[in-house]
């Protein structure tokens, strides 16, 4: 078995359960192959302390059979690569928010510099047979940088966020450079068929790519395989958390506290892609249109702090606080607060209890690669008396979770109506929908995702020798 090398912006210690499903799944494969996990240490070194842009020390640490190798970043690199380009250009554009993108030319230089730094630090760690799996938008050009240094290993890439249609992608000044960089990979994986279609339309129209069949495409004198690999969760792990003492305790506390109420739950990172203001407007509409919910329906919305140094995130925070305040002010009673909003991260062990107490989950992003909260909510339910998932049609998960109540989050009235249907749904229909959804979630869990991606990568044709990768 070849050794697996995982590269992602951040590295998680696979021994810590708080790391979550993805880390657990990757840890399993990494453990089996005695693998290496490489990424940014999370540390920013101020230039005054001696770290220049494009430089950063390497730290190696053993986590059981897995080696964790991390690199520090200088302040300048961090600000340009992480804040400026990854989260100031790629995140908004890939989520269709051109209005929030800042195409400052300096950022792309930093993005490229850090990818080159990663390649320089990773290259000496590689063995000839290693299979390399690179994750997400921070590291699109990494394979091209490795190839330019002579790396001939099999390299796969998985994009966790959506890929927009060609015309939106083309708004990025360096879009052709980015898309060409993808051809340094042997396999490129997306979350959904929709994202895959956007990619193939782009490469056909902009790069005259040739369709070789079976997911293989040829352009820039290179061949890659592209496919949709919808990410799942570790169902057993999450069911275990639900049944654990902390999960049960949280559930009981929520049940006791809200015994006279119908509980709705929302759990997100505070991000403009998650559609939080739209969700609150729909909840307000629900209270206005269907007055039987007054003094009853209660929305617990948890929005964990995220990327607060990026400008657009401050605006969404203020908007959310004002919407919650006005709903509580207009509809609240002495003994009933319609919205309980918390701007903090909830410990992973407590989430299943909260989900299980919810009659309805509101997962209504304006755009989302997949959205794992939707899947976690369903796993945490009591199959004999399950809650209902209201899911945005713009989440990648909507391609799979057809039995959820799918909504357009921009349509406030229709979303309010769907929430009302969810609150009123008879037991038998709830059970049937939950059963069908669980079958999908079990079939396509995170272990399936990992092995499907890695098996497909192993089957890609050995890279053509003799065609050196031309520098980007
Ligand atoms: P995220 O945008 O972070 O991930 P999501 O898939 O919803 O989104 O959540 C990932 C994990 O974070 C889940 O396990 C969830 O429980 C946890 N989480 C979210 N909000 C939380 C909160 N307030 N408190 C505690 N935990 C919270 C990106 C893409 C997604 C894609 C994932 C995985 O944006 O579309 O599904 O990667 O590929």
């Amino acid at each position: 078995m070849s050794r697996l090398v995982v590269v992602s912006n951040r590295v998680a210690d696979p021994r810590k359960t708080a790391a979550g499903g993805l880390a657990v799944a990757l840890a399993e494969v990494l453990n089996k192959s005695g693998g290496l996990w490489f990424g940014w240490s999370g540390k920013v070194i101020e230039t005054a302390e001696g770290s220049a842009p494009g430089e950063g020390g390497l730290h190696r640490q053993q986590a059981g059979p897995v080696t964790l190798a991390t690199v520090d970043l200088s302040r300048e690199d961090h600000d340009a690569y992480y804040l400026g380009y990854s989260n100031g250009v790629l995140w908004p554009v890939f989520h269709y928010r051109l209005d929030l993108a800042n195409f400052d030319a300096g950022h792309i230089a930093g993005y490229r510099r850090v990818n080159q730094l990663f390649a320089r630090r990773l290259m000496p760690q590689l063995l000839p047979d290693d299979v390399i799996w690179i994750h997400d938008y921070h590291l699109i050009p990494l394979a091209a940088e490795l190839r330019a240094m002579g790396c001939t290993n099999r390299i796969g890439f998985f994009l966790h966020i959506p890929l927009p249609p060609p015309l939106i992608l083309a708004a990025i000044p360096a879009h052709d450079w980015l898309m060409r960089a993808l051809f340094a990979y042997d396999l490129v994986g997306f979350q959904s068929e929709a994202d895959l279609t956007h990619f193939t339309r782009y490469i056909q129209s902009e790069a005259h790519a040739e369709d070789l069949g079976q997911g293989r495409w040829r352009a820039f004198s290179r061949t890659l395989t592209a496919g949709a690999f919808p990410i799942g969760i570790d169902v057993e792990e999450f069911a275990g958390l639900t049944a654990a003492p902390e999960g049960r305790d949280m559930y009981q506390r929520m049940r006791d506290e809200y015994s006279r109420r119908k509980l709705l739950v929302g759990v997100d990172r505070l991000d403009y892609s998650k559609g939080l203001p739209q969700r609150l407007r729909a909840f307000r509409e629900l209270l206005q249109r269907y007055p039987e919910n007054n003094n009853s329906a209660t929305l617990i919305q948890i929005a964990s702090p995220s990327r607060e140094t990026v400008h657009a995130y401050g605006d969404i925070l203020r908007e959310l606080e004002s919407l919650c305040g006005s709903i509580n002010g207009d509809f609240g009673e002495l003994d009933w607060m319609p919205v309980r909003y918390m701007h903090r991260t909830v410990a992973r062990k407590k989430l299943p209890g909260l989900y299980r107490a919810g009659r309805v989950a509101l997962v209504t992003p304006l755009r989302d690669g997949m959205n794992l909260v939707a899947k976690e909510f369903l796993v945490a339910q009591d199959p004999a008396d399950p809650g209902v998932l209201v899911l945005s049609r713009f989440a990648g998960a909507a391609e799979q979770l057809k039995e959820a109540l799918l909504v357009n989050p921009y349509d406030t009235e229709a979303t309010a109506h769907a929430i009302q249907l969810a609150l009123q749904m008879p037991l038998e229909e709830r059970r049937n929908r939950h059963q069908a959804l669980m079958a999908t979630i079990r079939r396509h869990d995170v272990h399936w995702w990992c092995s499907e991606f890695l098996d497909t990568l192993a089957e890609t044709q050995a890279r053509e020798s003799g065609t050196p990768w031309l520098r980007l």
Side-chain angles (χ1 to χ4, degrees), residues 19-22 91 95 136-137 158-162 191 231-233 238 266-271 273-274 301-305 307 342 344-348 351 355 363 367-374 376 396 449:
L22 177 61
W91 180 273
H95 286 88
D136 232 359
Y137 57 103
F158 184 77
L159 184 68
H160 288 259
I161 65 174
Q191 295 271 27
I231 194 168
I233 63 168
F238 210 75
V267 174
D268 308 77
R269 269 190 312 100
L270 182 60
D271 192 290
S273 66
K274 302 291 181 185
Q301 176 62 58
I302 295 167
S304 56
R307 305 173 197 165
M342 273 155 283
R344 86 176 69 110
T345 303
V346 170
R348 190 168 167 75
L351 283 180
Y355 289 148
V363 180
R367 194 61 66 181
D368 215 329
M370 175 55 60
N371 196 298
L372 297 179
V373 170
E376 291 171 353
W449 171 78

Side-chain angles (χ1 to χ4, degrees), residues 3-50:
R3 183 175 77 148
L4 177 66
V5 175
V6 171
V7 190
S8 54
N9 177 55
R10 292 303 303 274
V11 167
D13 187 332
R15 293 166 303 184
K16 296 184 182 153
T17 50
L22 177 61
V24 172
L26 289 174
E28 193 179 275
V29 215
L30 284 165
N31 276 327
K32 262 193 235 157
S33 73
L36 174 77
W37 195 341
F38 182 95
W40 170 39
S41 62
K43 247 194 248 151
V44 179
I45 310 289
E46 302 299 337
T47 307
E49 291 173 35

Side-chain angles (χ1 to χ4, degrees), residues 211-263:
D211 183 354
L212 303 178
Q214 296 183 311
R216 294 175 63 238
W217 295 88
R218 186 153 185 91
F220 310 110
S221 316
R222 291 275 161 187
T223 303
L224 64 65
T225 301
F229 302 87
I231 194 168
I233 63 168
D234 187 332
V235 176
E236 297 315 318
E237 182 240 5
F238 210 75
L241 283 183
T242 311
E246 265 165 300
R248 291 212 311 265
D249 180 52
M250 183 70 185
Y251 171 66
Q252 208 46 57
R253 277 168 49 201
M254 299 305 291
R255 280 294 294 260
D256 295 347
E257 180 73 25
Y258 294 97
S259 55
R260 290 169 39 237
R261 315 282 183 216
K262 289 178 184 164
L263 201 58

